Amino acid sequence: MASLPDASTCYELLAKMTLIRRFEEEAGRQYQRAKAGGFLHLGIGEEATIVGTTSVMREEDYLIGTYRTHGHAIARGTEPKRVMAELFGRVDGTSGGRGGSMHIFDRERRFMGGYGVVGGNLPLAAGLALASDYKGEDAVTVCMFGDGASNTGNFGETMNLAALWKLPVFFLVENNLYGMGTSVERHSAQTDLSKKAEGYGISGERVDGMDVIAVREGVAEGIRLAREERRPTILEAFTYRYRGHSAADPEVYREREEVEEWQSKDPIESFARRCIEAGVLGEREVGETREKAEQAVTEAVEFADASPEPALDTLYENLYVLESEAAWYAVDERSPEPHRGEDEEHMPDAARELAEAGAAYAGQPDGPRPNPATHGDAQEGVEPEVAEEVED
Ligand SMILES: Cc1ncc(C[n+]2csc(CCOP(=O)(O)OP(=O)(O)O)c2C)c(N)n1
Ligand SMILES: [Mg+2]
């Protein structure tokens, strides 16, 4: 087991994890009171993975995450009251109340969001890293994403360019064992996600995501490789969300015992215990982190409640729509019947021929299809044979 850092670092790690936990518990409560609208994805249980990662980042580094990122922003230094105001849809929120829970953003602290599209943050991370390289900056981009996101096309495309262009980017997969209600064994052919980008030349390691010190060490090395050697790598952190995927999840895909087993390894309690047993922190300091978190969260709710809602006449601000066309994009005013281009009648001749021939099969010879592993590009010069037909 990796050794503990100095007392003030341990205090800081514990205080941040405790604050995030308390913030999210309160966010869940406020959501049930209908103070926060839209979706709400809580990362309760995942605090060690989040805080372990951000604790070894420099101020100049970029962080980009998913739609489960209240904690990531707070860990990066965003004030909890501004995150709460965003959940409440108020003007003092991090995105002016326009984004809500899934779109927390803080450019000043280089927290680049907050994205609702699964895997959508991966190419953006590569873009941020490319920008740093282009500008000759030392910054590293840390990209955090879920196990489910590793199945998207964006994953492969990003890994390829990151390795090819030697981008200063580091990938952390928050493997909480599920993508919504689908377990990793049911959604990924390769369940060792640290190996999933090996074919692109990106190596990986696995780490206990419930152990803040282990995460910290793994991430520090990954960031070093990205910064000093321009070598992108993946760290797979095993973690667990105690709550459902979002606030509206009946959780029929997992047993209560499984949740309890993970809760017994709680990242905050286990770290506090370890610090006390090692004599690095005292009971008094651990209690103090709880009190401070409680106070910050109470203030955050008061602040968010007092912040006004955006004015109605600002509705079209920050939209990529010309003012004169705003209504056109917002409401399709055309009649309901098909229009030009929406009807098969206007299909070009070539497309019609293909469609009539059965589209996907058009132009293919009859008979069994050759096996691409034994034919084609990989076997240049070898006469194609027809693959043996397999009987079911
Ligand atoms: C491109 C895309 N496909 C599907 C969805 C619907 N969706 C939202 S969250 C989610 C699961 C993602 O799981 P994972 O990447 O493991 O992240 P976690 O929620 O566990 O943090 C899915 C499929 C989406 N938002 N975007
Ligand atoms: Mg997941």
Side-chain angles (χ1 to χ4, degrees):
M1 196 188 260
S3 53
L4 288 174
D6 62 81
S8 75
T9 307
C10 286
Y11 183 87
E12 193 57 29
L13 293 170
L14 185 67
K16 277 229 162 109
M17 290 196 290
T18 308
L19 172 60
I20 293 169
R21 170 73 56 91
R22 190 59 207 98
F23 179 93
E24 290 225 288
E25 285 169 351
E26 190 58 29
R29 219 171 67 86
Q30 294 295 334
Y31 188 81
Q32 277 170 349
R33 298 179 61 207
K35 285 278 185 180
F39 285 97
L40 187 85
H41 304 88
L42 301 174
I44 295 178
E46 302 186 2
E47 297 88 352
T49 298
I50 301 165
V51 172
T53 300
T54 57
S55 72
V56 285
M57 289 174 66
R58 290 186 191 164
E59 257 179 43
E60 77 215 47
D61 294 339
Y62 293 98
L63 177 66
I64 191 162
T66 69
Y67 39 82
R68 201 184 294 289
T69 52
H70 311 144
H72 300 65
I74 293 171
R76 210 54 191 120
T78 307
E79 288 178 291
K81 61 184 188 182
R82 298 207 50 223
V83 181
M84 195 63 88
E86 189 56 41
L87 302 189
F88 281 31
R90 306 300 173 91
V91 291
D92 295 305
T94 50
S95 302
R98 312 300 174 113
S101 162
M102 293 205 279
H103 306 108
I104 311 292
F105 197 92
D106 189 344
R107 192 169 61 173
E108 215 177 297
R109 288 169 191 84
R110 299 204 162 185
F111 175 61
M112 310 308 280
Y115 285 91
V117 179
V118 171
N121 61 335
L122 284 136
L124 295 173
L128 288 165
L130 179 64
S132 297
D133 243 5
Y134 191 73
K135 293 197 279 189
E137 288 177 358
D138 227 11
V140 165
T141 296
V142 174
C143 176
M144 297 177 81
F145 58 96
D147 46 289
S150 72
N151 301 316
T152 64
N154 275 330
F155 176 86
E157 294 180 35
T158 303
M159 296 301 153
N160 182 52
L161 285 186
L164 184 69
W165 292 344
K166 302 184 170 32
L167 297 178
V169 58
F170 166 71
F171 299 101
L172 189 130
V173 51
E174 302 165 302
N175 186 354
N176 59 11
L177 313 187
Y178 295 94
M180 297 184 89
T182 310
S183 68
V184 69
E185 295 80 11
R186 289 177 59 226
H187 73 59
S188 182
Q190 169 58 276
T191 52
D192 184 342
L193 305 184
S194 70
K195 290 205 173 92
K196 209 164 172 174
E198 267 181 1
Y200 297 104
I202 292 193
S203 60
E205 298 283 339
R206 303 180 115 178
V207 76
D208 178 1
M210 305 300 266
D211 177 349
V212 68
I213 304 299
V215 174
R216 211 172 125 80
E217 300 214 331
V219 174
E221 176 58 7
I223 289 181
R224 189 194 69 73
L225 288 169
R227 196 175 334 262
E228 293 174 15
E229 298 181 22
R230 290 317 207 227
R231 185 143 80 81
T233 53
I234 289 190
L235 187 66
E236 178 184 13
F238 288 99
T239 182
Y240 202 80
R241 55 167 167 72
Y242 298 168
R243 302 278 179 98
H245 167 73
S246 68
D249 176 359
E251 292 185 66
V252 290
Y253 51 87
R254 62 184 189 182
E255 300 295 332
R256 183 77 228 147
E257 293 75 48
E258 184 185 288
V259 182
E260 284 166 4
E261 195 189 320
W262 281 86
Q263 283 173 327
S264 71
K265 310 185 248 197
D266 187 75
I268 303 176
E269 277 174 29
S270 61
F271 184 61
R273 210 177 314 123
R274 189 176 164 199
C275 289
I276 290 171
E277 280 166 13
V280 176
L281 297 181
E283 295 276 3
R284 193 186 59 80
E285 285 153 310
V286 172
E288 192 181 273
T289 62
R290 290 196 195 113
E291 281 157 29
K292 282 190 179 165
E294 190 61 49
Q295 197 185 335
V297 171
T298 305
E299 281 170 17
V301 173
E302 284 168 7
F303 174 85
D305 247 342
S307 175
E309 293 195 345
L312 205 55
D313 61 5
T314 66
L315 194 62
Y316 289 113
E317 282 179 12
N318 306 312
L319 295 180
Y320 287 105
V321 175
L322 297 175
E323 210 170 306
S324 59
E325 291 176 343
W328 193 93
Y329 279 98
V331 183
D332 190 340
E333 290 172 312
R334 297 179 303 169
S335 51
E337 75 274 3
H339 295 79
R340 186 166 167 71
E342 295 174 354
D343 192 332
E344 290 198 355
E345 217 184 293
H346 301 117
M347 212 184 247
D349 287 346
R352 185 197 308 283
E353 275 167 34
L354 281 172
E356 280 167 5
Y361 304 105
Q364 277 182 16
D366 288 341
R369 299 178 64 188
N371 178 353
T374 52
H375 299 84
D377 298 349
Q379 302 286 311
E380 234 176 296
V382 178
E383 272 302 297
E385 293 163 24
V386 174
E388 268 179 46
E389 228 171 317
V390 182
E391 306 230 346
D392 314 65

